Amino acid sequence: MASSGEEPRSGSPGRAGTGTELEEEADAAQLDTAEDFEVLEEEGEDDEDDLSELPPLEDVGRPREDAQPPEQGAGEAAGDPQEWLDVLGNGLLRKKTLVAGQGVDSRPQKGQDVTIRLKATLEDGTVVEEDPALTFTLGDCDVLQALDLCVQLLEMGETALIVSDAKYCYGAQGRSPDIPPNTSLTLEVELLAAQDAPDLELLSGKEKIQLANRKRERGNFFYQQADYVLAINSYDIALRIVGSSSKGTYSHSRQAHLGSWPCCNPPSGVCAVDFSPDEEAELLDVKVKCLNNLAASQLKLDHFKAALKSCNQVLEHQPGNIKALFRKGKVLAQQGEYREAIPILKAALKLEPSNKTIHAELSKLVKKHADQRNVETEMYRKMLGNPSAAGTPGKCKDKLPWSIPWKWLFGATAIALGGVALSVVIAARN
């Protein structure tokens, strides 16, 4: 998937920035970005995440033609109410055609790579984003939801005005420093081109790495926005790219083949290209980062079984991966499996003895495990009818030190009777 111009800055409508541009916050430090993190920040874990205000992964339903435009703050969006299309039927996302396109049949399809001209403005008309040729995969959540939902309704060559609530833009977080929290945006969009996305099996190693990293970085953006569902979606797409065929293939004409492509089978004109060792290593690195970030997102949503699977996949490739060990220990601890979690965290701490976060988590689990064992011990005592140690009465003072327990007496009597019976049997045989 190609895009023109320089990479947009972090949080732009185009796509998230590189890993080095991510903010150094507690949640962000959990992610595997382009740089390594020395400490796994886990502050504020006891606070439950409020997911009630997160933007849902919505799709375009049956639009209504009778939607009213916003009364205030729409800037240049004001116009004839009959011209507005209520995309989702909730009044929060509206589209109006400014320049007609080439017909309904020219609309792009999900999964295609589309190129648009974009101009984003605030309610007061301040321009916060301009891109003459922004390229993204439609339906992959590579851009703002407002764009992902509305571009599929554009005809080729159409120019449209989109007025979107903050819910489908940057939400409650906004984008520092130019887009305040809970800010609606007006987007002027022109559909320039649409074409099928490249076959993943035909990508070179370098192209596959770049595409997977772009999806991973978008997942990091959603993670920072506390939208873990969309983060998981982006990480899954990146993993699908990395997990596609490990061979790159490309075609060429028979004329180009003559004398130039000795590696090919002339009748087929298809050449298989091995990835270099460096490319294979980099693809594995991207895969591990995506799996680690996927586990972090799944853990946020209490999807423990899925998070455990993601951690195990990392450890299959890198048994000493500290983040995977740490998160696996946390997943098991969340499920109450303290006995299994403690050795895993000890292994992580052995690899990085100075990590205070692992120290704190391990100490907490050891205490919880001790409390769990005490509860289980008390429960077993009650089940067996034995009083607890605290309620056990002292030994009777008048009990003689040479007194023999009744169990021993019973056993001795049984042995004596058995011996007498054996003697009688032997005498009868004689």
Side-chain angles (χ1 to χ4, degrees):
M1 182 179 71
S3 61
S4 63
E6 297 180 355
E7 284 290 323
R9 58 185 168 181
S10 177
S12 69
R15 59 180 66 92
T18 61
T20 56
E21 294 171 326
L22 298 177
E23 296 179 4
E24 295 291 338
E25 297 178 352
D27 284 343
Q30 292 181 329
L31 298 178
D32 280 306
T33 61
E35 296 180 343
D36 292 330
F37 290 94
E38 296 182 359
V39 178
L40 298 174
E41 300 279 349
E42 292 290 339
E43 297 176 0
E45 288 178 6
D46 294 334
D47 299 332
E48 294 186 4
D49 298 308
D50 181 9
L51 304 180
S52 59
E53 296 300 322
L54 293 182
L57 184 59
E58 301 191 49
D59 203 346
V60 176
R62 182 172 297 175
R64 294 181 355 206
E65 299 286 351
D66 58 349
Q68 298 292 325
E71 296 180 359
Q72 297 179 351
E76 52 183 316
D80 184 355
Q82 297 300 322
E83 296 179 0
W84 287 91
L85 178 70
D86 190 345
V87 176
L88 298 174
N90 58 9
L92 301 179
L93 185 62
R94 286 171 281 266
K95 167 188 172 291
K96 183 176 72 171
T97 299
L98 300 179
V99 178
Q102 301 174 11
V104 176
D105 292 341
S106 65
R107 288 179 176 176
Q109 303 296 317
K110 283 187 177 181
Q112 287 188 314
D113 284 350
V114 297
T115 301
I116 63 172
R117 175 183 62 80
L118 172 67
K119 179 181 179 182
T121 59
L122 301 179
E123 295 176 346
D124 61 3
T126 302
V127 178
V128 293
E129 189 77 26
E130 279 191 284
D131 195 323
L134 171 64
T135 299
F136 61 94
T137 303
L138 190 59
D140 274 10
C141 300
D142 291 342
V143 290
L144 300 177
Q145 272 194 281
L147 288 174
D148 230 359
L149 295 172
C150 292
V151 168
Q152 56 189 291
L153 299 176
L154 296 181
E155 300 170 3
M156 189 60 60
E158 177 182 351
T159 299
L161 208 60
I162 299 167
V163 177
S164 174
D165 183 82
K167 180 178 183 180
Y168 305 109
C169 295
Y170 289 98
Q173 288 79 17
R175 187 188 73 182
S176 179
D178 52 355
I179 302 179
N182 298 310
T183 298
S184 299
L185 291 180
T186 298
L187 310 172
E188 183 179 312
V189 181
E190 179 184 1
L191 180 58
L192 302 177
Q195 60 182 5
D196 291 339
D199 188 335
L200 297 180
E201 294 186 359
L202 301 182
L203 295 178
S204 67
K206 183 178 180 180
E207 290 171 331
K208 189 172 291 189
I209 292 167
Q210 290 176 343
L211 182 57
N213 269 326
R214 209 147 53 217
K215 304 296 184 181
R216 177 180 62 84
E217 289 162 6
R218 189 62 183 172
N220 293 354
F221 167 78
F222 285 127
Y223 187 96
Q224 288 186 315
Q225 296 291 317
D227 195 337
Y228 307 116
V229 173
L230 292 184
I232 288 173
N233 178 72
S234 294
Y235 295 139
D236 279 337
I237 294 173
L239 287 169
R240 188 168 71 244
I241 294 169
V242 173
S244 58
S245 175
S246 60
K247 298 288 185 180
T249 60
Y250 53 90
S251 301
H252 48 79
S253 66
R254 185 178 180 85
Q255 289 78 7
H257 177 278
L258 296 177
S260 303
W261 302 93
C263 58
C264 294
N265 180 7
S268 67
V270 176
C271 181
V273 180
D274 290 326
F275 294 154
S276 69
D278 288 343
E279 289 173 337
E280 292 283 1
E282 196 166 351
L283 282 169
L284 178 59
D285 182 62
V286 175
K287 179 179 180 179
V288 167
K289 288 179 178 179
C290 287
L291 286 170
N292 259 331
N293 294 353
L294 182 62
S297 302
Q298 292 163 336
L299 191 56
K300 285 288 188 180
L301 296 176
D302 293 340
H303 295 170
F304 300 130
K305 184 176 180 180
L308 187 61
K309 180 179 178 181
S310 299
C311 292
N312 285 334
Q313 286 182 287
V314 174
L315 296 173
E316 286 176 7
H317 297 290
Q318 298 179 357
N321 188 288
I322 296 175
K323 291 183 179 179
L325 289 170
F326 178 76
R327 292 197 180 105
K328 182 175 181 179
K330 284 185 64 65
V331 170
L332 293 172
Q334 291 283 355
Q335 295 176 302
E337 303 292 343
Y338 303 127
R339 183 176 299 176
E340 290 79 7
I342 289 173
I344 293 174
L345 289 180
K346 285 183 176 179
L349 190 60
K350 186 176 181 180
L351 292 170
E352 194 171 315
S354 61
N355 194 307
K356 296 180 181 180
T357 304
I358 301 178
H359 267 292
E361 186 69 20
L362 184 57
S363 299
K364 183 170 63 177
L365 287 191
V366 169
K367 184 179 183 302
K368 286 184 176 181
H369 187 216
D371 294 341
Q372 184 187 60
R373 291 177 62 185
N374 291 336
V375 171
E376 291 175 352
T377 301
E378 187 63 25
M379 181 182 66
Y380 292 148
R381 283 175 177 167
K382 291 180 179 179
M383 290 174 60
L384 296 174
N386 294 330
S388 63
T392 303
K395 295 182 179 180
C396 297
K397 294 182 180 180
D398 58 348
K399 186 176 181 180
L400 297 178
W402 47 266
S403 60
I404 302 175
W406 65 271
K407 291 182 179 180
W408 292 4
L409 292 174
F410 179 80
T413 303
I415 293 173
L417 291 175
V420 172
L422 181 62
S423 299
V424 171
V425 171
I426 293 174
R429 290 183 176 177
N430 293 332

